[in-house]
Amino acid sequence: MFKAYDRLLNRFPTLTQAGTCGLLFIAGDVMAQQLVERRGLRRHDAVRTAQLAAYGGLVAGPAIGLWYPFLQRAVTLKSPFQALLARVAADQLIFAPTFIACFFSFNALVAGEGVAGIKNRLSQGYVPALLNNWIVWPPVQLANFHLVPVLYRSLVVNTTATGWNTYLSYMNASIKSKTAAEPLKEI
């Protein structure tokens, strides 16, 4: 199976990464709804899952797939250790804040909430998500950028992100629930 994936990744890198990311956003949302929120199959929000799949496949996957090669080319320092730290810093200070803002904005737009919904989701979710991002992702990216060839970095991130996507899905739904005056459960 890995050989087939490797062939696809080498032949169609952006498309393969988009598909992988979309599928793993589905997995993250299903875990959020079934394991965290305990909705059960009858109350599973398939529209929410489809929206997150769309974000993963149309936005996150291509962005991640293009970001890592760019970062590899753009950040070149004489010291490999300094280059590693600079790449992680750029990832966390440029890509992560933008990615999180895009996530909440996209989900507000596809939910039909418009600019007011974007402002609401960003005001409630952006800072907590970014702070938690800075807990989870720097160690992952240190290992990823140090050990993994650039073509496969998005696979490492997408795999790790299944848990992260569960968190983002739950947080996004919690913000939506607050606006609909639904009670929230604590994680």
Side-chain angles (χ1 to χ4, degrees), residues 5 67 107-108 116 119 121 128 141 167 182:
Y5 183 82
W67 172 248
N107 281 287
K119 288 179 181 178
R121 288 181 192 235
Q141 294 297 48
Y167 164 76
E182 294 177 15

Side-chain angles (χ1 to χ4, degrees), residues 56-175:
L58 299 174
V59 179
I64 291 167
L66 296 170
W67 172 248
Y68 295 131
F70 166 77
L71 197 57
Q72 188 71 25
R73 287 187 314 270
V75 179
T76 56
L77 300 170
K78 289 185 181 188
S79 163
F81 182 70
Q82 288 176 341
L84 172 65
L85 293 180
R87 287 184 188 115
V88 172
D91 187 66
Q92 293 304 301
L93 298 174
I94 298 169
F95 188 83
T98 305
F99 180 88
I100 291 168
C102 288
F103 174 80
F104 287 118
S105 299
F106 179 92
N107 281 287
L109 288 175
V110 297
E113 298 170 6
V115 174
I118 292 170
K119 288 179 181 178
N120 178 53
R121 288 181 192 235
L122 290 173
S123 70
Q124 292 185 49
Y126 182 78
V127 171
L130 186 59
L131 293 175
N132 284 321
N133 170 87
W134 288 335
I135 292 168
V136 172
W137 287 104
V140 171
Q141 294 297 48
L142 276 168
N144 193 24
F145 294 163
H146 182 65
L147 301 172
V148 179
V150 70
L151 184 63
Y152 301 100
R153 289 179 185 164
S154 62
L155 180 59
V156 170
V157 166
N158 284 329
T159 303
T160 305
T162 303
W164 177 250
N165 295 344
T166 302
Y167 164 76
L168 284 179
S169 174
Y170 178 74
M171 176 175 260
N172 187 57
S174 297
I175 294 167

